[in-house]
Structures are given as structure tokens and as C-alpha cells.
Amino acid sequence: CIRIGGLLEVTKSTNFLSLALRKFLLGEPVTITNSDRLYNNFISREEVFQFVSGLPLSEAFDIVHLGAEPEMKLGEIIGFMKKHSCSDSPVLYSDEKTPFFNLDIEKAKKKYGFRPKPTRETIEQWVAEVKNLKTSSFSFVVENSTGPCS
């Protein structure tokens, strides 16, 4: 059984980071809580594919969590997304503490050799894909975007 964080897709916009990116591309404000906490509750579809395609088939049952390396705080990730989406949206930091969780990926790393890409690389690649794809649920936003940052 593989449990994953929010999947960073170019065709969906339902997890927290996807909703934030949509707001950045629309020029809307983004409000975040828990900005000072390390955050890894997301993963790229390529990382999931690479992990699954390298697993040996087995009849044994195991539960593994996949997510990003917990190396950046949520506020840093949001700032990085804003920069790479070329957005002038304000980021509003709320002191309210809301439910928050990260994924423990140590078992996947130690037992199965999972190696998540660096967070900055994952986010930068995802934002670029969303901005370049005209047929996603973000397409109404992408069509109005100005392209790469100058």
C-alpha cells in the first residue's frame, strides 16, 4: 500500500499547493498558516512512477508513505512558487494554527531506496509544466499569463 502526499499534477487543482498556484496565476491573494513548519505533503507524478516501477513484485503487504524531503518550510515553498509563477499576488501569513501533518518517508527511503528530488527542483519543474500546458484545468489561467519571468 502506497500513501502519497498531494500529487503535483498539471490537470488537477485540488490539493493545497495546486490551489495556491492557481491563485498565484490568477493574481489572487494566497493565505497560509503554519508557514514556519517544514512541509513535505506533496510529490510529483514522476517520482511516484519511478518508485513504483522499481519495486519488485511481492505478495507481502507493507505500507509506505511517499512525499517530498522535509527540507523547506511551507512559507519558503509558497515564496518559491510565487517567484517561479511570476506572480504579484500578495501572500498573507496567518498566525492561526490549523491541522497540519507531514509524511514519514523514512521507511520508503531505508527499506525501498526511495530518493525524493530536491524540493526546489520539484516545485520549479511543476510550475513550469503548469504554465506551459494549455489543456489543463489551469488553462484558463495559463492563457492569460505573461510567460517566463523577465
Side-chain angles (χ1 to χ4, degrees):
C1 176
I2 298 174
R3 295 182 179 164
I4 63 172
L7 193 60
L8 300 181
E9 297 184 77
V10 295
T11 58
K12 303 269 185 206
S13 60
T14 57
N15 63 61
F16 174 74
L17 292 183
S18 294
L19 294 172
L21 179 57
R22 182 177 181 273
K23 287 183 176 191
F24 281 139
L25 294 173
L26 286 170
E28 296 176 358
V30 174
T31 302
I32 63 171
T33 59
N34 301 303
S35 64
D36 59 337
R37 301 209 34 207
L38 290 175
Y39 186 70
N40 80 333
N41 196 357
F42 62 93
I43 190 167
S44 72
R45 64 185 185 271
E46 290 84 8
E47 288 174 288
V48 174
F49 175 77
Q50 287 174 351
F51 179 76
V52 171
S53 65
L55 282 179
L57 293 177
S58 171
E59 297 208 12
F61 182 80
D62 204 356
I63 297 174
V64 179
H65 298 107
L66 299 182
E69 190 70 53
E71 61 189 2
M72 290 178 73
K73 295 178 181 178
L74 181 56
E76 294 171 320
I77 294 170
I78 292 296
F80 193 76
M81 286 173 53
K82 177 180 175 173
K83 174 184 174 187
H84 285 277
S85 64
C86 305
S87 179
D88 59 359
S89 295
V91 176
L92 310 172
Y93 297 90
S94 172
D95 291 333
E96 177 185 355
K97 295 299 178 193
T98 57
F100 186 91
F101 68 95
N102 278 316
L103 300 169
D104 183 354
I105 62 173
E106 289 306 308
K107 181 178 183 181
K109 289 167 61 176
K110 291 177 181 171
K111 187 172 180 180
Y112 297 101
F114 176 60
R115 297 288 173 256
K117 292 189 306 188
T119 299
R120 284 177 173 80
E121 181 182 329
T122 298
I123 296 294
E124 185 175 8
Q125 180 182 354
W126 172 60
V127 170
E129 286 176 17
V130 169
K131 288 187 73 176
N132 290 327
L133 189 65
K134 301 291 185 188
T135 59
S136 73
S137 62
F138 293 99
S139 63
F140 69 95
V141 175
V142 175
E143 290 168 1
N144 297 323
S145 68
T146 58
C149 303
S150 40

